[in-house]
Amino acid sequence: DAGTSLGAAPARGRKNMRKSTCRQQVIDFIKEMILTGEIKAGDRIKEAYIAAATELSRVPVREALVELCQEGLLQFEPNKGASVIKPTAEGLCTSYEVCGLLEGYIAGASLPLYTRNDFTALEEVLVQMREVQNSSRDLKTLSDLDFKFHDLIISVSDNPLLINFARIHNAKFEHFFFFPYGEEAFGVDAFYERHLEVYESLKSNDA
């Protein structure tokens, strides 16, 4: 019987799972601080503070900082430690263009793979976007919806390498550097309309 023969996970496996969970908890915590503006571009990440705030040891904190440096959200400097990268206006524009080109390529290549369920999922996010835009205009909620909308487009692809690359880039740029600049930078007034245009383009096979 396959169900009974597997037994409990080996102790080593459980330990690695706990380490991964703790590391991810720290990653999520730091990303949330960046998104809400509690820590800003250029700020140094203090290991002791993060460890105390998450009630974890410094080991998963260091592991999380290494992973975030690899993602491009943080940068490491000798004798100074990790800090949030400080993008220039030119760098942000370039990143925005790269995001658009990459997602456009993925969307175009994935058009034959779209199902009714994929379009329904996008429609549901659009409804939420319109509601938030017309009511609270909460940037964090809009940020989450923006990330979900674009991730739905990316996830239709059958190329896992492209999906992973696009997700990392989108997480670094759109979710953590565009929105913290606020309403005047992002243009909340046309938030829903911009995403509706993307949806209609996909629906008409004109991505």
Side-chain angles (χ1 to χ4, degrees), residues 28 30-37 71 73 92 96 99 139-148 150-151 166-181 186:
D28 292 342
I30 293 174
K31 286 182 174 181
E32 180 73 11
M33 291 177 72
I34 295 173
L35 179 60
T36 58
E71 285 187 17
L73 281 172
L92 285 173
Y96 186 79
C99 281
L139 286 176
K140 184 180 183 304
T141 304
L142 289 174
S143 172
D144 290 340
L145 291 171
D146 175 79
F147 191 81
K148 184 176 181 179
H150 291 287
D151 194 65
R167 280 177 172 163
I168 289 174
H169 200 78
N170 283 349
K172 179 174 72 173
F173 176 69
E174 295 220 19
H175 210 190
F176 301 107
F177 291 119
F178 208 105
F179 276 92
Y181 285 93
F186 196 79

Side-chain angles (χ1 to χ4, degrees), residues 126 193 195-206:
L126 283 169
E193 288 75 11
H195 289 80
L196 179 62
E197 286 180 10
V198 174
Y199 166 81
E200 290 177 341
S201 177
L202 287 170
K203 197 82 182 291
S204 64
N205 290 337
D206 188 28

Side-chain angles (χ1 to χ4, degrees), residues 32-100:
E32 180 73 11
M33 291 177 72
I34 295 173
L35 179 60
T36 58
E38 188 172 346
I39 52 177
K40 298 178 174 59
D43 285 354
R44 189 164 67 88
I45 307 295
K46 298 178 181 178
E47 282 186 19
Y49 172 80
I50 300 297
T54 56
E55 299 183 346
L56 295 169
S57 73
R58 291 202 180 192
V59 173
V61 173
R62 292 192 186 103
E63 292 174 346
L65 294 180
V66 168
E67 187 166 330
L68 289 170
C69 284
Q70 292 173 343
E71 285 187 17
L73 281 172
L74 306 181
Q75 60 185 1
F76 184 83
E77 297 179 76
N79 303 319
K80 290 185 178 181
S83 61
V84 183
I85 67 168
K86 195 172 184 178
T88 62
E90 182 181 357
L92 285 173
C93 288
T94 301
S95 292
Y96 186 79
E97 291 173 1
V98 170
C99 281

